[in-house]
Amino acid sequence: MKETILTLALQKSGRLTEDCRMTLEKAGLIIPDYGRALRVQARNFPLEVLFLRASDIAEVVASGAADLGVFGRNDLMESLHYIELEEVRSMRFGSCRLSIAVPEASGITTTAQLDGKIIATSHPMLLQKYLNKHKLNAQSLVMEGSVEIAPSLKIADAICDLVSSGSTLQANSLRELEVIFKSDAILIAQKEFAPDKQHLLEEFLLRIDSVTNALTLKSVMMNAPRSALSAIEDILPGIDSPTVTPLAREDWVAIHSVVEEDDDFWNKIRQLKAAGASGILIKPVDRVIF
Ligand code: AMP
């Protein structure tokens, strides 16, 4: 009997490729590098990886030739197969925004002034959705790439393109006017997932989630007098509650917790010090299973 395997379509070479490879590797899935091979079998999991152009991934998953695919949320919104596909997970990388930008010297300061203007873009669906929603009568000029050049060539008044740091806009003397969509890399599947592969999907997701859920976590260890424990517990609740171990030094304990590295992280560290913690160790978390 033929072995049941999952098929995963990834971008062959592009912005999301390296992060995809890293995530699979950290999830313990060994994908051999066969150079130019476009179909590769994982060594230790019933998984075949197809390397495709990003623009073909939606079609290949929607047709059933692949079970899963990873690409940008923006790519899903632009795809004609949008209705047949569903997001299974955010991959927690590939963050960017789709923005409308105008030449720095342009007098356009509000989106209402885009009425009657020409906007160059590689994302016509998302742009049109935005224009319809805001009842703006602008015309889109569809370009495959190098959209930023259009205003200086006088073929468009504005552009609508993906931005992450904003340095490409700056290098082309463009000013960001409005963010119209926020994107990240997502794992997609057909809405009707093959029932005989469900168990493999669950095993695959367990591994992927263990990596993506750990990305923003830090393992924090410290020593403190026992009398400071309750104040420290209030600052660091941890996944369940912190692990507390007695130390040889009388009335002192070692405390271990896992903390989200969010905007408040360094504030928490300061509070821990103020509460009496010392020797605070901060380490990355490789993988976590909740
Ligand atoms: P590529 O075809 O290699 O340029 O990859 C494009 C995909 O990477 C886009 O569809 C986005 O989802 C994602 N991405 C993340 N950051 C950026 C960025 N700064 N510019 C363009 N695409 C980005």
Side-chain angles (χ1 to χ4, degrees):
M1 208 174 79
K2 204 168 166 255
E3 188 198 10
T4 310
I5 64 164
L6 276 183
T7 312
L8 169 68
L10 301 182
Q11 197 186 22
K12 182 160 75 86
S13 56
R15 275 176 205 268
L16 304 177
T17 309
E18 197 43 41
D19 283 321
C20 281
R21 275 195 178 275
M22 286 278 290
T23 305
L24 294 175
E25 194 180 305
K26 273 183 148 183
L29 300 163
I30 303 172
I31 315 295
D33 186 359
Y34 288 150
R36 286 162 185 249
L38 300 177
R39 299 180 76 156
V40 178
Q41 294 268 345
R43 288 232 172 90
N44 56 351
F45 194 85
L47 175 75
E48 182 180 43
V49 179
L50 313 180
F51 292 103
L52 304 173
R53 280 185 69 134
S55 52
D56 294 330
I57 293 178
E59 169 81 44
V60 169
V61 178
S63 70
D67 302 304
L68 300 164
V70 175
F71 61 14
R73 191 180 295 275
N74 55 295
D75 297 318
L76 177 61
M77 303 304 287
E78 288 297 319
S79 163
L80 296 173
H81 297 285
Y82 174 61
I83 298 296
E84 298 143 73
L85 299 172
E86 94 178 333
E87 173 187 340
V88 182
R89 288 291 188 276
S90 160
M91 297 296 286
R92 316 237 341 231
F93 58 74
S95 300
C96 57
R97 54 195 191 270
L98 185 65
S99 290
I100 295 180
V102 293
E104 271 161 8
S106 133
I108 302 176
T109 53
T110 66
T111 50
Q113 290 171 277
L114 293 171
D115 220 30
K117 299 282 193 286
I118 299 175
I119 307 177
T121 191
S122 315
H123 302 82
M125 299 280 213
L126 282 166
L127 175 59
Q128 198 54 52
K129 228 171 137 182
Y130 174 84
L131 295 174
N132 293 347
K133 187 171 164 203
H134 295 271
K135 301 195 170 45
L136 291 170
N137 198 13
Q139 192 190 325
S140 39
L141 171 75
V142 181
M143 292 176 72
E144 287 282 319
S146 301
V147 166
E148 294 89 353
I149 205 172
S152 68
L153 295 179
K154 308 269 183 263
I155 54 173
D157 306 289
I159 67 155
C160 171
D161 203 11
L162 291 169
V163 182
S164 43
S165 68
S167 56
T168 310
L169 289 184
Q170 226 175 22
N172 289 284
S173 308
L174 295 166
R175 164 166 51 84
E176 202 168 349
L177 187 65
E178 176 100 336
V179 176
I180 70 164
F181 187 76
K182 288 200 173 143
S183 186
D184 55 347
I186 53 175
L187 179 70
I188 52 138
Q190 264 190 49
K191 280 191 176 149
E192 305 281 323
F193 198 82
D196 62 325
K197 295 190 179 184
Q198 194 66 41
H199 65 292
L200 285 180
L201 176 64
E202 278 164 26
E203 176 66 29
F204 178 75
L205 291 178
L206 176 82
R207 294 185 181 215
I208 297 294
D209 290 345
S210 76
V211 176
T212 56
N213 287 334
L215 287 175
T216 52
L217 296 179
K218 287 284 177 278
S219 161
V220 179
M221 282 179 279
M222 73 212 81
N223 296 335
R226 193 176 279 283
S227 57
L229 193 53
S230 114
I232 289 176
E233 272 179 341
D234 288 346
I235 304 164
L236 293 182
I239 291 175
D240 289 319
S241 72
T243 308
V244 180
T245 318
L247 290 178
R249 184 174 168 187
E250 205 182 337
D251 287 333
W252 272 66
V253 285
I255 301 158
H256 176 225
S257 189
V258 172
V259 183
E260 186 82 30
E261 192 178 17
D262 54 15
D263 292 343
D264 200 36
F265 181 76
W266 287 102
N267 188 28
K268 285 195 183 116
I269 299 294
R270 226 175 296 114
Q271 288 175 19
L272 289 173
K273 273 192 80 178
S278 60
I280 304 173
L281 293 182
I282 302 168
K283 297 206 281 189
V285 177
D286 205 29
R287 283 164 271 193
V288 63
I289 293 159
F290 291 120

